[in-house]
Amino acid sequence: MAMTDTTTDTPIETPEAAPPEAAPKVRRRTVADLNRGVETIKAYLRTLPVTPGVYRMMNEGGDVLYVGKARNLKRRVANYTVPAKLPVRLQRMVAETVTMEFVTTHTEVEALLLESNLIKRLMPRYNVLLRDDKTFPHIMITRDHDYPALIKHRGARDRAGDYFGPFASAGAVNRTITALQRAFLLRNCTDSVFSTRTRPCLQFQIKRCTAPCVGRVNRAQYGEQVDEAAAFLAGKSRDIQTRMATAMLEASEALDFETAAKMRDRIRALTAIQAHQDINVEGMEDADIIAAYQDGGSTCIQVFFFRGGRNNGNRAYFPSHDKNQGTAEVLSAFIAQFYDNRAAPGLVLISEDAEEQELLAEALTLRAGRKVELAVPKRGDKKRLMDHALTNAREAHGRRLSETGSQAKLLAGVAELFGLEAPPTRIEIYDNSHIQGAHPIGGMVVAGPDGFIKNAYRKFNIRDPKAAGDDFAMMREVLTRRFERALKEDPERTGDTWPDLLLIDGGEGQLGVVVEVLAELGLSDIALVGIAKGPDRDAGRERFFMPGRAPFGMDPRDPVLYFLQRLRDEAHRWAIGSHRQRREKAISASPLDEVAGIGPKRKKALLLHFGSAQAVSRAGLADLRAVDGISDAVAKIIYDHFHPDG
């Protein structure tokens, strides 16, 4: 790898590096930095073991640059001491390295598992990163009630029940639950609603529930419905449909046409579930299909979920990686991180061989606690299925490139409009929300070259009671807290969490407040714009305010104006949504929440016994002691809380 001459102030040339004006906050690394990094790494080699393990490389600010795993730590780390054999990306990484940390493991598989966990937690800049890693929704049949419910579930499996999934989206779950209710007539209400019903609800009227809450079906009959639904979700759809078809024919032959019609409707509902399956493969029960398409230095990975022989949908991912990293390397890193917090199914089909594929399969097997096969299909139905997934990946990649290109043009337009030196890579947009000063909250959303960066969104509960209802004071508190913390965490401003542009929802008054805050913190070099709706709050006639510049507007048909409106509207949506959540939480709060020693279980026991928090507050000591789980001491605490003078 060619470098410029070896004078200490000569930068390491990188063909793919962004020009200095596009990244002014990051100091360019020199050959002297690279040599210092090499010497730092060499110092660790003297004591490194020859065992498997994980290493972390960190910069002068303590940020983790890279997490790697090795079968032989000493041999692997030694590779970084020969810069001529490293790609430019890793030369830059070595030049930034000032310290390292190591963890030894018993096996290379354990090292791989630890590596993927640390990458997801620390998000190092030089690793392949899977940034969008939300938990997937499941369908759950509860098992902690005499009459189980059919519900959507996301998150920890801390409730007794049968879980089926994952599904690619909440929409896929909702459609499936609706069809399952038509087919098996299971309730989807909460236990508290179930216990208070005195007559059937709308679900019974539209033939989606058999109303067990009011005794329209006994426990044994309802249990048969539950078992059928569980069997269907477990992949025994043919058995269930055959059984229903037989029951329909028997009812028809017995001239019980009402029952026959009900069975017909249930069969149609099951058929509707299967009709929405885009692709199916005979004999494939539980499997994930992972197809990677790479072009132009970026990669799209499509994941299809098959459970119980049904297609539960698909989702596209765009992992962050260096443009010189090949598909096999990106695919390997993606798989390791994707299954870090979830068990893989017995079969994972991939579009091409991944790096260290056998090691990956062993790690997935260890994590799942059962055999996991990682394979590339070569022929037959599975190959056709993979081709379909690859087509989806290629099309999603094309759409992403088109959107990114449009975004780049819009950001260039923003730079020209506001007189910025270069298109902004991070725009922060701020808005406040409250109702007559109640539950005030500030919201921050972030946008960049790839669109909205949702994991960077923040909400600020306004702490100063004097600021509630005062938009200027609220904005002052939000901006002060945001940038005081930023200065504390990154005083040299070398990270990627500093904005190039602040967009404030408001006019001259809000702008003046933000100017004062930034000046007090010594951050007057951040570009700042206020955006206010025009007369009668007419969208399209917005006025823009900037320090030292007269207010101005734009052509209502200008695409850049639409873009700025979208940014402002997203901040508005985020602030209002956050405010609504805070308000609903306050409304649903109970006086029992303020009693010391009363957790969710005791609170539930008290409410079930007395019916309301108000009744609990009026209860005597003897009545409180009669509640299951409430000891004499706890009863005294509750009584004293509501009777401080007694």
Side-chain angles (χ1 to χ4, degrees), residues 369-406:
R370 50 179 163 71
K371 176 68 175 177
V372 175
E373 181 185 358
L374 192 62
V376 180
K378 302 297 184 183
R379 63 183 68 85
D381 290 340
K382 292 177 182 177
K383 179 63 168 62
R384 285 192 289 274
L385 176 58
M386 182 58 70
D387 291 341
H388 178 86
L390 270 171
T391 298
N392 276 262
R394 183 176 63 254
E395 292 174 350
H397 184 271
R399 290 192 297 270
R400 176 67 171 254
L401 284 182
S402 175
E403 292 168 1
T404 302
S406 300

Side-chain angles (χ1 to χ4, degrees), residues 12 27-38 41 57 59 65 89-98 126:
I12 301 172
R27 183 173 71 84
R28 298 186 74 187
R29 299 292 166 179
T30 66
V31 173
D33 294 323
L34 179 60
N35 292 335
R36 280 193 295 270
V38 169
I41 296 170
M57 309 177 84
N59 64 14
L65 300 169
R89 175 179 66 94
L90 296 186
Q91 287 184 12
R92 294 200 304 266
M93 180 183 74
V94 170
E96 292 184 54
T97 300
V98 298
Y126 288 96

Side-chain angles (χ1 to χ4, degrees), residues 81 125 209 238 330 337 341 346 393 403 430 449-450 474 533:
T81 63
R125 189 179 355 145
C209 181
R238 287 188 176 180
V330 174
Q337 294 176 52
N341 59 351
E403 292 168 1
Y430 292 86
D450 294 327
M474 290 172 63
K533 287 187 176 179

Side-chain angles (χ1 to χ4, degrees), residues 145 187 189-197 608:
H145 194 280
R187 71 180 182 95
C189 58
T190 63
D191 292 348
S192 59
V193 169
F194 180 92
S195 64
T196 57
R197 293 298 306 181
L608 288 174

Side-chain angles (χ1 to χ4, degrees), residues 64-67 116 118-133 299 301 317-322 325 330 333-334 337-338 496:
V64 178
L65 300 169
Y66 184 78
V67 174
S116 61
L118 289 174
I119 289 172
K120 287 185 63 176
R121 184 158 56 87
L122 301 174
M123 305 295 284
R125 189 179 355 145
Y126 288 96
N127 284 96
V128 176
L129 299 179
L130 172 57
R131 295 184 181 275
D132 182 9
D133 190 35
T299 306
I301 296 180
Y317 293 88
F318 297 88
S320 172
H321 63 88
D322 184 87
Q325 291 177 284
V330 174
F334 173 86
Q337 294 176 52
F338 185 76
D496 57 1

Side-chain angles (χ1 to χ4, degrees), residues 474-541:
M474 290 172 63
M475 188 64 71
R476 173 179 291 277
E477 178 177 330
V478 169
L479 270 294
T480 300
R481 285 167 54 187
R482 158 69 177 109
F483 287 104
E484 280 184 346
R485 179 169 181 175
L487 284 169
K488 181 179 179 181
E489 294 179 347
D490 186 13
E492 300 299 322
R493 299 171 65 179
T494 58
D496 57 1
T497 58
W498 285 89
D500 303 300
L501 173 66
L502 296 185
L503 193 62
I504 307 299
D505 184 18
E508 199 165 5
Q510 282 90 344
L511 185 74
V513 169
V514 180
V515 168
E516 290 177 6
V517 171
L518 296 182
E520 291 168 2
L521 297 174
L523 300 174
S524 301
D525 59 330
I526 299 177
L528 174 61
V529 177
I531 175 173
K533 287 187 176 179
D536 301 320
R537 303 186 67 78
D538 184 10
R541 299 175 64 189

